[in-house]
Amino acid sequence: MPACPETERFAALLRSLKNRSGLSYEALAKKTGTAGSTLHRYCRGTSVPQDYGSVHRFATACGATPDELRTLHRQWALADAARTEPGTATEARTAAEAEAGIVEVVDLVDGAGAEEPTAVEPGAVEPGAVEPGAVEPKALEPEAVEVGPVRPVRQGRFRLDQFRQGRFRVVVIGAVVLTLGVSAWALTTDHPSSGSSGGSAADGRLLFSAACQPVVAMGQHDACVGEVQRLLHAKGADIDVDSDFGPQTLRRVTAFQVFTGLQPNGVVGDATKKALYTSNVRMTVWPPAKVRQHIRAVFTDAPDAAVAIADCQSFLDPLHILPNTNGTRNWGLFQISDLRLRELGGTPRQALDPEWNIRAAERLWSKKRDFHDWPNCERAVKGAATTAPAR
């Protein structure tokens, strides 16, 4: 089944990064922890990751620049939205049935022709919504389907060639509506000024004004994102106030939600907006020098290797959070997974505490006195002792 334009563009970016890196799928699988066959499907455009984590690891392994990571993230958001858009699978199945021999179907387009799609303002089309005026394929009626010799055309029905023409027009209209809807939902606008054009709320809280969408999320670039970043920065978070909702903002929003007891979904809805304005949570963390010093103090038998592992996993950022393709997450300095958290009896809030995270990592290391829990960072500890002498 051919991929949609958003998925094709996303896959093309992945192929470009892979080709430039010169790495094989097998080598990338070892670096990213994702099966080579899965990466191959992503690059072919036959599959879209459910979470951005695997995309980020793939791009980083290929040596992507910060600008390339930002572009790739936006395209992934579009491809993911298009993948989950209702109606796409139905359209494809209808086409496949026609090619297999269905010669008569219910009329898909009025005799006077389909209406042209009207312009859609940002926010006017929600994901999964159908634009008024767009023509949807009707359900196939049992008596309207016939396999075998072609019968004379009855009123209100198409022969196969006419059906293909009508189907093509529906696909084009649907693609236009889908593109506009996804763009309005995922990107909102490319101009920061649009966030302030509608003015702010009476109490001065921009996020609750008509200028901002009900949910501020990944892929947006506007003044509303800038407001989220400004509020996080005011609470001590290390974050760039650039009005671009990218991976860094996603991590900081998720950490803030953990600290405030909200669902850590990485999107800024009403509850998170309110907390940003009213919560007294502080997000200041240990600087890298203190992190290194404490890791060495805990991992007395393999200090250099432990520091290298933490640097590879999180860049020594105690609030580093990375989503996985299966919906789970890795947390904190040593990127402790949800599974390991359960085994250790910990919580995401504890995992974002550098003291707890380092000691938990040491507990995992001490089971076999090696770093088998972090296989993707083997190259980072090359030359460092990864196992301690037997006692």
Side-chain angles (χ1 to χ4, degrees):
M1 183 182 300
C4 66
E6 291 81 5
T7 302
E8 280 290 355
R9 285 191 286 269
F10 171 67
L13 290 175
L14 293 181
R15 290 195 298 270
S16 176
L17 289 172
K18 178 188 177 298
N19 293 338
R20 189 182 67 188
S21 72
L23 297 172
S24 65
Y25 284 110
E26 181 181 1
L28 287 170
K30 293 179 180 179
K31 285 175 170 289
T32 62
T34 303
S37 59
T38 301
L39 297 177
H40 187 231
R41 289 197 298 272
Y42 295 162
C43 290
R44 288 181 57 195
T46 57
S47 179
V48 176
Q50 294 182 358
D51 291 286
Y52 178 70
S54 60
V55 181
H56 183 79
R57 291 193 295 271
F58 177 92
T60 302
C62 292
T65 66
D67 285 341
E68 288 172 334
L69 288 173
R70 185 177 295 109
T71 300
L72 185 64
H73 192 283
R74 288 176 176 170
Q75 194 56 51
W76 168 80
L78 287 172
D80 183 61
R83 175 180 60 82
T84 58
E85 187 74 11
T88 303
T90 302
E91 178 69 34
R93 283 196 300 270
T94 303
E97 289 172 351
E99 295 297 338
I102 296 176
V103 297
E104 292 186 36
V105 295
V106 176
D107 190 346
L108 299 180
V109 183
D110 292 338
E115 295 180 9
E116 292 294 328
T118 55
V120 180
E121 296 180 358
V125 179
E126 297 182 354
V130 178
E131 179 69 11
V135 180
E136 290 185 86
K138 300 179 182 178
L140 293 176
E141 299 177 355
E143 69 274 14
V145 178
E146 180 179 341
V147 179
V150 179
R151 296 189 302 175
V153 180
R154 294 197 300 269
Q155 183 178 2
R157 304 184 186 277
F158 285 122
R159 291 186 183 275
L160 180 57
D161 56 345
Q162 293 171 309
F163 163 74
R164 288 173 174 168
Q165 294 174 8
R167 188 192 70 202
F168 174 77
R169 297 170 70 180
V170 172
V171 170
V172 171
I173 293 171
V176 172
V177 173
L178 173 62
T179 301
L180 291 173
V182 169
S183 299
W185 169 67
L187 296 180
T188 303
T189 178
D190 289 331
H191 304 286
S193 61
S194 65
S196 58
S197 60
S200 59
D203 59 359
R205 300 189 298 177
L206 175 61
L207 293 178
F208 286 102
S209 73
C212 293
Q213 299 293 324
V215 173
V216 181
M218 183 74 76
Q220 286 186 221
H221 181 86
D222 56 23
C224 302
V225 176
E227 176 77 346
V228 171
Q229 294 170 332
R230 183 188 67 78
L231 293 168
L232 290 170
H233 183 73
K235 297 182 185 302
D238 178 16
I239 187 172
D240 297 328
V241 183
D242 58 4
S243 299
D244 188 3
F245 202 126
Q248 182 195 43
T249 303
L250 175 66
R251 289 192 290 268
R252 293 299 182 254
V253 167
T254 306
F256 175 75
Q257 291 170 330
V258 170
F259 289 147
T260 53
L262 298 173
Q263 180 184 1
N265 55 17
V267 300
V268 184
D270 283 345
T272 303
K273 290 179 182 179
K274 182 179 180 181
L276 283 169
Y277 284 113
T278 61
S279 173
N280 294 322
V281 162
R282 298 297 301 171
M283 299 182 66
T284 50
V285 296
W286 290 3
K290 183 176 180 179
V291 170
R292 292 190 185 92
Q293 180 181 10
H294 199 67
I295 291 175
R296 291 178 180 279
V298 173
F299 284 85
T300 54
D301 290 330
D304 292 338
V307 170
I309 289 288
D311 195 6
C312 170
Q313 287 287 312
S314 66
F315 310 104
L316 302 182
D317 175 13
L319 301 186
H320 195 79
I321 302 170
L322 194 64
N324 299 312
T325 56
N326 60 2
T328 63
R329 291 183 175 89
N330 294 344
W331 306 89
L333 286 169
F334 280 88
Q335 288 292 276
I336 299 176
S337 67
D338 288 331
L339 175 62
R340 287 288 185 257
L341 273 183
R342 289 193 293 271
E343 293 176 357
L344 295 167
T347 65
R349 178 63 185 87
Q350 289 176 309
L352 296 182
D353 174 12
E355 170 74 29
W356 190 94
N357 193 287
I358 293 170
R359 299 234 172 241
E362 196 276 336
R363 287 167 59 189
L364 294 174
W365 172 85
S366 64
K367 290 181 179 180
K368 295 184 178 180
R369 302 186 68 76
D370 65 24
F371 292 94
H372 69 277
D373 264 81
W374 299 274
N376 296 327
C377 288
E378 290 179 355
R379 295 183 65 179
V381 297
K382 186 178 182 180
T386 58
T387 58
R391 293 179 177 177

